[in-house]
Amino acid sequence: MSWSAWDFASTSGFTASLPLAQSTIDLDVAGRPDERVVERALDDPMTQVMFVNGPRVAVWRSDGVQAPDALMCDADPAAPRPDASAPVGHLNMAFIAGPAVRTEALREGALAVYLGRDRTEDRVVRYIALDVTRLGEQTGPRYESDLLARIGASCDWVELRSFAPCASAREAGLAVSAVAVCSWHASQRFCPSCGAPTRPILGGWAQACTNPEDADRLLFPRIEPAVITAIVDDSDRILLQHNRAWRPRFHSVSAGFVEAGESLEHAVRREAVEEVGIALGDVAYLGSQPWPFPASIMLAFRARALDSHIAVDGDEVESARWFTRDELVRAVACGAIEPPGRASIARHMIESWLGRELA
Ligand SMILES: [Zn+2]
């Protein structure tokens, strides 16, 4: 069977517009059990190696990118951030190959993840992500990496939420996978069952406990589902809320994590009641987007409010109000409210209701 980018592209109209849901890559799950899958890929001159640094990926430095200082965003990745600091223009992921990269990727303690492959016409291109935060860990603080110097001389580090809206679908997908998997390894170095160190297996997509008495326990990335809901009333107005933890004018739709043992639909209804005191009628699924900050997937719904009376909890949610389309456009235009960022599913839910892009 011959795969093309289209086979892995998004098919739903809503999901197709989400910057972090654009992966066109064949993850090649069947290739992961080969213990040398990373090494074999690195031996192939067609293979492309990209670089991850926390929630950031390396891009080629470009004169066409505005506000390069904003690319080095050290802000809390969980906090919404203004698009005003996001880059403008197309960003190209930096790929560097060669013996130096191979040496670093296969060094003891390195984390290199086999991201999958692109098969187009008669050639196959494999992709590897190398986590640079681990470079030098085994060789001490005085270790100086020629590779890091090379990246520093020609690349910028761009946070995933700034990168994805400015990248091709393939490179956005590679970046999301790489950040998600490497973030998991960064947060879990030891077996949660017995406390022994773990080691990456299956091309970096899983870990094995190194304690032989723990029966070769396999550990997979934990993904935390969150529901997010565009609530509209009988007048077709949308409900936007402002949470205490957000910047002063930032407004978005209702969202929250799914509790253990809870259905998605129950979580949607529970969050609406808890946060804004609204009971929901019909609830319909819209689409999903990974949100690896650090490990979420956002599951989007639209729902009809049974009545328009708002009662915010006053704790998490400070205020909430209904907007007609004209009211929302005016409020955003005059700066009275700041909408969610371009990479977020919340932004696309609001624009889907609005019928056009927000300015
Ligand atoms: Zn264990």
Side-chain angles (χ1 to χ4, degrees):
M1 186 180 294
S2 174
W3 297 105
S4 69
W6 173 250
D7 295 306
F8 294 94
S10 308
T11 50
S12 129
F14 179 77
T15 307
S17 65
L18 299 171
L20 272 60
Q22 299 300 305
S23 185
T24 60
I25 297 291
D26 171 3
L27 292 179
D28 190 20
V29 175
R32 294 177 190 168
D34 176 358
E35 288 201 353
R36 295 184 61 225
V37 64
V38 169
E39 190 176 348
R40 286 186 209 281
L42 290 166
D43 286 340
D44 178 352
M46 293 296 294
T47 294
Q48 305 277 307
V49 181
M50 54 142 330
F51 303 93
V52 185
N53 182 353
R56 304 171 190 149
V57 297
V59 303
W60 294 122
R61 192 163 292 149
S62 164
D63 292 338
V65 177
Q66 297 177 12
D69 291 344
L71 303 183
M72 300 292 285
C73 176
D74 282 317
D76 174 5
R81 50 191 293 266
D83 277 340
S85 62
V88 174
H90 187 76
L91 295 174
N92 291 301
M93 180 172 273
F95 296 105
I96 301 176
V101 173
R102 188 183 188 284
T103 300
E104 294 286 8
L106 299 179
R107 191 185 293 277
E108 179 71 23
L111 176 60
V113 178
Y114 173 52
L115 295 176
R117 61 192 179 186
D118 246 357
R119 183 178 291 180
T120 52
E121 298 177 358
D122 59 345
R123 64 180 199 144
V124 175
V125 180
R126 293 178 176 81
Y127 293 92
I128 297 286
L130 181 59
D131 184 347
V132 304
T133 63
R134 296 210 181 187
L135 295 187
E137 274 190 10
Q138 303 296 314
T139 41
R142 296 177 64 83
Y143 172 79
E144 290 181 11
S145 162
D146 290 342
L147 177 60
L148 277 181
R150 193 170 159 195
I151 293 172
S154 55
C155 305
D156 287 314
W157 290 106
V158 183
E159 210 261 1
L160 178 58
R161 280 168 289 189
S162 294
F163 174 73
C166 301
S168 70
R170 183 182 68 236
E171 294 183 2
L174 290 168
V176 175
S177 292
V179 167
V181 176
C182 293
S183 297
W184 172 62
H185 284 288
S187 66
Q188 180 170 295
R189 299 284 189 102
F190 300 94
C191 173
S193 177
C194 75
T198 59
R199 64 180 179 87
I201 58 168
L202 298 180
W205 290 81
Q207 295 177 347
C209 174
T210 55
N211 176 5
E213 295 179 5
D214 201 14
D216 298 323
R217 183 184 296 276
L218 281 179
L219 303 162
F220 292 94
R222 175 182 168 138
I223 300 169
E224 296 159 357
V227 292
I228 182 163
T229 311
I231 302 171
V232 296
D233 71 359
D234 282 342
S235 302
D236 208 23
R237 299 178 298 174
I238 194 167
L239 184 66
L240 297 184
Q241 64 190 54
H242 171 72
N243 291 10
R244 282 191 190 280
W246 295 346
R247 287 187 305 279
R249 293 189 304 278
F250 189 90
H251 281 67
S252 189
V253 294
S254 171
F257 286 107
V258 180
E259 297 288 332
E262 185 178 38
S263 71
L264 301 179
E265 294 80 357
H266 189 279
V268 166
R269 295 178 187 281
R270 176 180 53 76
E271 287 287 344
V273 170
E274 287 177 1
E275 294 189 344
V276 289
I278 299 267
L280 300 178
D282 291 340
V283 169
Y285 178 67
L286 283 174
S288 67
Q289 169 164 269
W291 196 245
F293 310 103
S296 294
I297 181 165
M298 306 300 294
L299 302 142
F301 293 81
R302 62 179 168 221
R304 182 74 66 181
L306 290 179
D307 78 62
S308 298
H309 177 71
I310 297 168
V312 298
D313 63 13
D315 181 17
E316 180 183 356
V317 181
E318 195 167 69
S319 61
R321 60 163 283 200
W322 297 101
F323 288 85
T324 66
R325 290 174 174 81
D326 285 345
E327 286 169 348
L328 179 63
V329 168
R330 281 200 300 271
V332 171
C334 75
I337 74 164
E338 177 193 325
R342 290 191 174 85
S344 70
I345 197 167
R347 170 83 164 222
H348 290 259
M349 294 165 74
I350 294 168
E351 290 180 339
S352 175
W353 164 82
L354 185 64
R356 64 183 176 87
E357 290 186 14
L358 283 166

